[in-house]
Amino acid sequence: MQSRPDAGSRRKNSAPTCYRPVPDRLDSGSVTDSTAVHHDSTTAHDFTPDAIVVGAGLAGLVATYELSRAGKKVLVVEQENRNNLGGQAFWSLGGLFFVDSPEQRRMGIKDSPELALQDWLGSAAFDRLEDEDVWGRQWAEAYVDWAAGDKRDYVRGLGLKFLPFVGWAERGSGSASGHGNSVPRFHLSWGTGPAVVEIFEEPVVAAEANGLVRFAFRHQVDEIITEDGKVVGVRGSLLEASAEERGVKSSREVVGDFEHRAAAVVVTSGGIGHNFELMRKNWPTDRLGPAPKHMIAGVPAHVDGRMLAISEDAGAQLVNKDRMWAYTEGIHNWDPIWPDHAIRIIPGPSSMWFDALGNRLPSPNFPGFDSIGTMKEILATGHDYSWFVLTQKIIEKEFALSGSEQNPDITRRDLKFMLQSRLAKGAPGPVEKFKEHGEDFVVADTVEKLVEGMNAIARDGAVIDGAHLEKQIADRDRQLGNSFSKDLQLMAIRNARQSRTDKLIRVASPHAVLDPENGPLIAVRLNILSRKTLGGIQTNLDSQVIGADGAPIQGLYAAGEVAGFGGGGVHGHNALEGTFLGGCIFSGRAAGLALARDL
């Protein structure tokens, strides 16, 4: 097993083969500048804001953008340094959920608001409509309407572009009325997550230069100040200055304190994805089974969820704490940036999926279909990991890695590099790097050697019987003699290849896994990866925070992941993918527009 460098000792000048995102339009005072000025409490105190935004992630930038374009003064309070502007969104693949878009129509995809809402509500399965889901359901209807209407024009008007191919994520549980996308809706941004951040960051930095916005970096909020039933500001700890690279865990040494006041506070601090203790405390054991013993983090260490309790202390109603979006296809990053750094495989549908003991997962637990349903199936075995078994042909066409840094061609908006990377023989460079260096990958020419490698990295005493594994693969391979079969996964593969995108660039043609011509054989150990929080602070459609009495708290707003991306749970129990960045934009925009109107 290959040793991995500690995330706290990042190399400052990594070679290009490490696939760091290098956005091509960020200026010297922008996201990647580690020498940017650290605003301390003295410089922040000479600024009188109309509103305070807590958190400089995507939702915070969107709210600040809307407020500043309305001429309002905004103080953005952020516990990390300037390098981390955009938060988790920067690290994302940059997918956005649109309904009946020109990209869909050009690819022959027939979509409609009615079908999208059917998919959303079937996936969300709202079951707490008397209390916790009362606002989440309204947010869901409003969001789908926006995704089918003004959303695309809004982001395109700010300069965001998209690849022409539409991806099909979360294909579902096999029921027309249940979970999943009926059609492809995942629109990949040209420039991935950094491009999504950039379209809001650039005008906000311009507003900073014009005196409308002030950033207070390394300011960690500890308390929301309430007087006479109204929120009037924040107090907290000044952290020592930091020049760490984006995503690297920073110091929490306190060097002072601060207090800032304004007519309104907007909490946009993100979720709980790197707070494993809080995740396990809230884990829905009744629905999914025991919380995983071994988890890896799809988000940096600063995604700690601490503002949830602080907001609750100020009177905010927290709802749907047991809803979270963890993935089953996590792999350990061979070149980590933050502690326990995880990367998610975004798979096509062809890899065979086995549990830790080598039993094929039952239908419809196929790659890319039903994240939560498959999670339940895996945890029911008493183990917290599973396996993909696939061929070289499958990994070349079907393996994509989530994250801006794992897709340097698209992140850098380099068309020539993208065509060379995606159309050349072999898997994309970052995938091959994981295959070569990743501790979760086993490559072999025979099933016997493959199983030997799998058992060598098994956990918790799990042992796979090679003959049993080979029989299951052979049984599947025999179904390839005709263009039809009784194997539901092969049916799903053939259905997927009816989509132009999937047939062209995403789904390998059906082939025998055990045929040496398609090899070598590859096994990938899949771990539980933390990512998004689906519950949080309950808000109304203006992103006003709802108190315990069901009424809005005067002067307090919340947006983004800390608010369950709107309403305290716009996704319900399941998400459709491409909806996280959009949820940050939609709820941040709602907060900014409402405050710009009411201040």
Side-chain angles (χ1 to χ4, degrees), residues 85 149 155 169 206 237 300 315 504:
L85 273 178
V155 294
S237 304
L504 285 172

Side-chain angles (χ1 to χ4, degrees), residues 54-66:
V54 181
L58 180 59
L61 289 176
V62 175
T64 302
Y65 163 72
E66 291 292 351

Side-chain angles (χ1 to χ4, degrees), residues 6-8 247-249 274 276 296-297 299-301 336-342:
D6 180 77
V248 175
K249 186 177 182 180
H274 208 292
F276 293 166
I296 49 180
V299 294
I337 296 171
W338 54 79
D340 300 312
H341 189 168

